[in-house]
Amino acid sequence: MLKRKRKKPLEMPELSQLKAELKRERYQRRYGSVLRSTIYSLVVVAACAILVAVLWMPVLRIYGNSMTPTVSAGEIVVSWKGSSFAQGDLIAMYYANKLLVKRVIAGPGEWVDIDEDGNVFVNEKPLDEPYLVEKALGDCDIELPFQVPEDRYFVMGDHRSTSADSRLASIGPIPAEDVVGRIIFRVWPVERFGPLK
């Protein structure tokens, strides 16, 4: 009669090694799952941020000094896309493949006049401009008073003596479709962080 060989029970070190290996495998599976879900979440958040920045709130960097002291070159601002803009709004707009920042002075159908001292009148009423450091007629070759055509905005920079804006016939009033949005917030530099008016 043949004797069957009995299987040797696992020794303690082998059992603990097997348990450690199982534990390591479970950890790796969990780690992989967490890593994948984290990556997916980051991709979704990045995609949403890009969509928001492109569709509703473009982030822009200021070039030039035509809007000093309100905003200066190198500052980073956030704009809000919209379809209508009010007098005094800061807007970003396209002109000759460049992105410019100006202030809305008058809307469609309104009359604009500027005297020799740089005082601006809209529909024969003087415009209150507390954001200006100094007034100036600047480069102005349009015939005043000037009526803003439909679907256009008359815009000017806050640094009136140097700003190239709607006072020049070569630029003129800006078509509504060229306006990127209303600038609402400055995010850089940190010491000037806050809403813009």
Side-chain angles (χ1 to χ4, degrees):
M1 190 168 193
L2 287 171
K3 271 190 172 180
R4 279 184 149 174
K5 282 188 179 180
R6 259 194 207 175
K7 282 188 178 176
K8 270 176 45 178
L10 290 174
E11 293 177 15
M12 278 311 241
E14 289 175 353
L15 186 60
S16 62
Q17 192 177 6
L18 187 61
K19 283 181 180 178
E21 201 171 305
L22 285 170
K23 202 173 187 181
R24 191 171 28 255
E25 279 181 29
R26 269 189 254 130
Y27 173 77
Q28 286 176 342
R29 266 189 255 124
R30 263 196 320 248
Y31 179 78
S33 173
V34 167
L35 185 63
R36 276 191 301 279
S37 67
T38 301
I39 290 171
Y40 294 149
S41 297
L42 289 174
V43 167
V44 168
V45 167
C48 289
I50 290 169
L51 279 174
V52 166
V54 170
L55 298 176
W56 297 292
M57 297 180 73
V59 177
L60 312 166
R61 185 182 182 114
I62 304 297
Y63 294 96
N65 291 307
S66 69
M67 285 301 295
T68 55
T70 308
V71 288
S72 303
E75 294 184 345
I76 297 174
V77 296
V78 176
S79 64
W80 179 261
K81 287 206 171 193
S83 57
S84 64
F85 306 96
Q87 187 180 77
D89 284 349
L90 288 175
I91 60 168
M93 62 187 198
Y94 286 111
Y95 173 73
N97 292 326
K98 290 181 185 173
L99 198 59
L100 303 177
V101 175
K102 302 293 177 194
R103 189 176 296 277
V104 174
I105 299 300
E110 295 184 311
W111 286 88
V112 177
D113 199 5
I114 308 167
D115 67 17
E116 290 296 320
D117 296 326
N119 295 305
V120 179
F121 300 85
V122 176
N123 296 329
E124 299 181 353
K125 293 179 184 167
L127 193 60
D128 180 32
E129 300 183 286
Y131 41 80
L132 295 181
V133 173
E134 63 176 309
K135 295 181 178 183
L137 179 58
D139 288 334
C140 182
D141 63 1
I142 60 171
E143 191 176 319
L144 295 170
F146 179 86
Q147 185 175 27
V148 183
E150 286 304 311
D151 295 324
R152 291 183 178 256
Y153 292 93
F154 192 93
V155 297
M156 293 170 71
D158 287 356
H159 194 230
R160 296 287 161 81
S161 58
T162 62
S163 177
D165 47 43
S166 295
R167 294 172 289 176
L168 293 172
S170 59
I171 297 175
I174 302 302
E177 64 266 13
D178 289 350
V179 178
V180 174
R182 182 170 56 91
I183 295 177
I184 55 172
F185 212 81
R186 179 183 7 245
V187 294
W188 184 263
V190 175
E191 61 271 10
R192 297 190 72 192
F193 181 88
L196 285 163
K197 293 184 181 185

